[in-house]
Amino acid sequence: MFYVSVFFQYMAQYMKTKWQYRADLLIEWLSDFMAQAVNLVFLLVVFGHTTLLHGWSRDEMLFIYGFFLVPYAVFGAFFNLWDFNERYIVQGEMDRVLTRPVHSLFQIILERMELESLLGAVPGLIIMLYAGSRLSLSFHWYDVFVFILLVIGGALIYAGIFISLATISFFADARTSIMPMMYNISSYGRYPVDIYHRVIRYILTWVLPFAFVGVYPASYFLHKQEWYGYAFLTPVVGMLFFIIAVMLWSAGVRRYRGTGS
Amino acid sequence: MGKYVEMIRIRFLMMLAYRTNYYTGILIYAINISAYYFLWSAIYGGKSSMQGMSLGQMTTYVAISWLARAFYFNNLDREIAMEIRDGKIATELIRPYSYLGMKAVQGVGEGLFRLFFLSLPGLLVVSLFLPLEFPEHAKTWLSFGLSLLFSFIIFSELNLLAGVVTFFTFRNEGLLRAKRFIIDLFSGLILPLSFYPDWAQQLMAYMPFQAISYIPSMIITESFQGAAVRDGLLLQAAWCVLLWFPIVLLWRVAKKRLVVQGG
């Protein structure tokens, strides 16, 4: 209960600060849409030159991309750990966090949340609706719940990986440029993994399971039965990676000594 | 001059200090390029050539584009924006060097490090198992080297320009992010510009972005021949000169109306 009330108090403060910089907020939205457009343009241009990608059509690829945007938006809103090392370790903010009676990770998540990122899900839903109607996909009443479950699973996978990356800061006093590179890798989970060599497919499934944020769960809605097993594993893999990340985080916090700044 | 060279050295050593970054960097570069290779193989789907480029040329194009990006990419815009916001800019400005010059030099140090210690080893690893096609003529390599240098200058100039704009806007995180995506898209990093529809190609011809990635990658894959190489290099040189003017102009105005927001 305590955590719920802390959550809403942070949220109220958040709304106030955001409202102060309205122009900046608008530009942030625009740049978010632009980031999504980069990948969309890639798909559209490529499919201007070919009709099938290893048996997958343009609309199926669009649908996968649209789906991916939804868990990604949820992740972006709540797990903004991009500059964790700079802000919390180098500048010593972590010391402040640790003196408070709320779990350190929960606190940082609240401090750094960017609720406006949730809007990134809107283009995703639009792309899915567009591609879905062109593919004339049929849905069951319970698909809404499956969708929510898969989205949460996907968001947890992203969260797990990026929390784990953030914990590196506790162990090595390194400025880490791994995170931006990881963003590049994450995009390969959106393409049908059967096009890759099995080593890469294995990495994208079990080591850095980004395929569970794109092609696997989307296959369920595309009625690709051969991928159903993987699709339903999404929430499991999500929980697993998230739990591992929280455990790593706790181990890191125990080792943390502060920088003295 | 000596202090600038020293700064390159220090930046280089700073990057070298973080070993974990270094090893993971090579690995991630290798994964990146191989994933692109399979993606493009699927896109080619057995076709021998698309838009005049073979699959081998395309793979090389992608590998070299990311290699080049490691060299020209830097966060000078963000660093300048941060120093303005924190008020550090005030102490920077009284130091006995040109602020923008020092920033550019730091970019060189970072770029050299990433080129020689991250992407070149990464490229070597990848070339063991992917069919990359490298040119045999020394002339191509020379043109490519020159072209890469121009890429660095143009990219850094755009970053300095965006950084200096912070003097007037104070907060421009969104703008800086938008700039990055525009460069990814229009520079030919993710797709050779010849794949875009004609109207888009015509539009992009008037922008400086293709000079960043498309031209050096087309040179090294020998998709540009003879006159096309010369024209590409001339275009890059022209942008280097052209972008210099707005920076100098804005910098003069900015220094006069500098507001230090504490710090």
Side-chain angles (χ1 to χ4, degrees), chain B residues 75-218:
Chain B
N75 285 312
L76 298 184
D77 51 348
R78 253 154 243 271
E79 287 175 27
I80 296 174
M82 193 116 81
E83 283 176 0
I84 291 173
R85 203 177 316 152
D86 296 349
K88 278 193 196 136
I89 190 82
T91 42
E92 283 291 326
L93 286 179
I94 55 174
R95 288 191 174 148
Y97 51 64
S98 139
Y99 175 69
L100 293 184
M102 197 48 98
K103 279 272 155 263
V105 161
Q106 287 173 349
V108 175
E110 243 185 83
L112 285 176
F113 175 84
R114 287 213 211 90
L115 181 65
F116 288 111
F117 285 82
L118 281 179
S119 46
L120 269 181
L123 190 70
L124 283 179
V125 171
V126 175
S127 62
L128 292 179
F129 53 91
L130 288 188
L132 299 181
E133 291 170 5
F134 294 110
E136 287 157 16
H137 306 289
K139 215 175 128 202
T140 311
W141 285 100
L142 275 175
S143 315
F144 173 68
L146 186 62
S147 177
L148 199 55
L149 191 67
F150 285 141
S151 300
F152 175 81
I153 296 173
I154 294 168
F155 188 87
S156 301
E157 280 180 337
L158 286 172
N159 265 356
L160 291 179
L161 194 59
V164 173
V165 168
T166 319
F167 273 97
F168 304 95
T169 55
F170 302 118
R171 278 176 70 98
N172 61 352
E173 276 295 299
L175 204 72
L176 297 187
R177 248 163 67 190
K179 184 192 75 161
R180 203 172 72 212
F181 297 125
I182 289 176
I183 290 182
D184 279 353
L185 200 57
F186 295 157
S187 67
L189 173 72
I190 57 166
L191 270 170
L193 297 189
S194 51
F195 275 68
Y196 285 94
D198 287 335
W199 61 267
Q201 285 186 43
Q202 276 163 17
L203 196 69
M204 286 185 257
Y206 292 101
M207 294 194 267
F209 307 114
Q210 59 163 316
I212 294 173
S213 186
Y214 181 62
I215 293 175
S217 299
M218 289 306 265

Side-chain angles (χ1 to χ4, degrees), chain B residues 26-44:
Chain B
I26 293 175
L27 186 72
I28 290 178
Y29 178 84
I31 298 179
N32 240 324
I33 300 306
S34 10
Y36 259 112
Y37 166 74
F38 292 111
L39 184 58
W40 277 106
S41 309
I43 294 168
Y44 271 72

Side-chain angles (χ1 to χ4, degrees), chain A residues 151-173:
Chain A
V151 164
I152 293 174
L156 284 178
I157 288 169
Y158 255 92
I161 291 173
F162 282 92
I163 290 171
S164 306
L165 284 181
T167 51
I168 294 176
S169 318
F170 291 124
F171 296 97
D173 302 335

Side-chain angles (χ1 to χ4, degrees), chain A:
Chain A
M1 249 348 264
F2 171 63
Y3 276 74
V4 175
S5 106
V6 169
F7 176 76
F8 281 108
Q9 281 171 16
Y10 264 102
M11 194 110 110
Q13 290 306 322
Y14 179 83
M15 297 290 189
K16 282 188 228 163
T17 52
K18 276 294 153 180
W19 199 240
Q20 284 301 317
Y21 294 98
R22 268 157 285 184
D24 205 48
L25 197 61
L26 190 74
I27 296 177
E28 248 174 64
W29 283 339
L30 283 176
S31 71
D32 270 353
F33 290 135
M34 229 177 251
Q36 296 168 351
V38 172
N39 300 295
L40 200 60
V41 168
F42 179 81
L43 278 183
L44 293 177
V45 171
V46 160
F47 277 101
H49 296 273
T50 182
T51 46
L52 280 181
L53 201 149
H54 213 275
W56 298 68
S57 72
R58 168 179 171 268
D59 291 321
E60 285 173 331
M61 296 292 297
L62 283 179
F63 187 90
I64 297 174
Y65 182 55
F67 175 87
F68 155 82
L69 288 176
V70 182
Y72 185 72
V74 175
F75 160 75
F78 292 106
F79 299 96
N80 183 16
L81 297 164
W82 181 260
D83 53 359
F84 171 74
N85 185 57
E86 291 280 308
R87 188 179 287 263
Y88 287 89
I89 305 290
V90 178
Q91 296 181 14
E93 291 276 294
M94 193 66 198
D95 299 354
R96 173 181 55 79
V97 170
L98 289 176
T99 56
R100 298 192 179 161
V102 181
H103 190 274
S104 52
L105 182 58
F106 184 66
Q107 220 182 116
I108 287 167
I109 286 170
L110 289 184
E111 283 180 8
R112 304 291 299 142
M113 70 182 168
E114 285 200 353
L115 292 176
E116 66 270 20
S117 298
L118 283 175
L119 273 176
V122 176
L125 293 170
I126 293 171
I127 294 171
M128 277 168 78
L129 279 177
Y130 164 81
S133 69
R134 283 176 58 106
L135 291 162
S136 44
L137 295 177
S138 58
F139 296 105
H140 302 290
W141 62 269
Y142 54 79
D143 278 352
V144 181
F145 300 100
V146 177
F147 179 71
I148 293 172
L149 195 68
L150 296 184
V151 164
I152 293 174
L156 284 178
I157 288 169
Y158 255 92
I161 291 173
F162 282 92
I163 290 171
S164 306
L165 284 181
T167 51
I168 294 176
S169 318
F170 291 124
F171 296 97
D173 302 335
R175 230 169 29 135
T176 166
S177 52
I178 301 172
M179 280 208 195
M181 295 195 265
M182 200 55 88
Y183 272 85
N184 289 334
I185 300 244
S186 74
S187 64
Y188 302 121
R190 296 197 305 260
Y191 300 106
V193 284
D194 45 347
I195 65 172
Y196 301 122
H197 188 266
R198 59 194 156 73
V199 176
I200 298 181
R201 202 184 313 165
Y202 182 83
I203 292 176
L204 285 174
T205 306
W206 303 117
V207 186
L208 303 166
F210 290 117
F212 285 105
V213 195
V215 60
Y216 289 151
S219 305
Y220 168 75
F221 301 103
L222 290 170
H223 307 300
K224 299 257 179 189
Q225 306 235 352
E226 65 271 34
W227 300 102
Y228 273 19
Y230 285 107
F232 292 125
L233 264 180
T234 306
V236 181
V237 176
M239 281 307 288
L240 194 71
F241 271 75
F242 188 72
I243 290 170
I244 293 173
V246 173
M247 280 161 61
L248 282 175
W249 177 274
S250 305
V253 168
R254 273 200 297 280
R255 257 190 63 121
Y256 173 73
R257 286 160 296 154
T259 53
S261 50

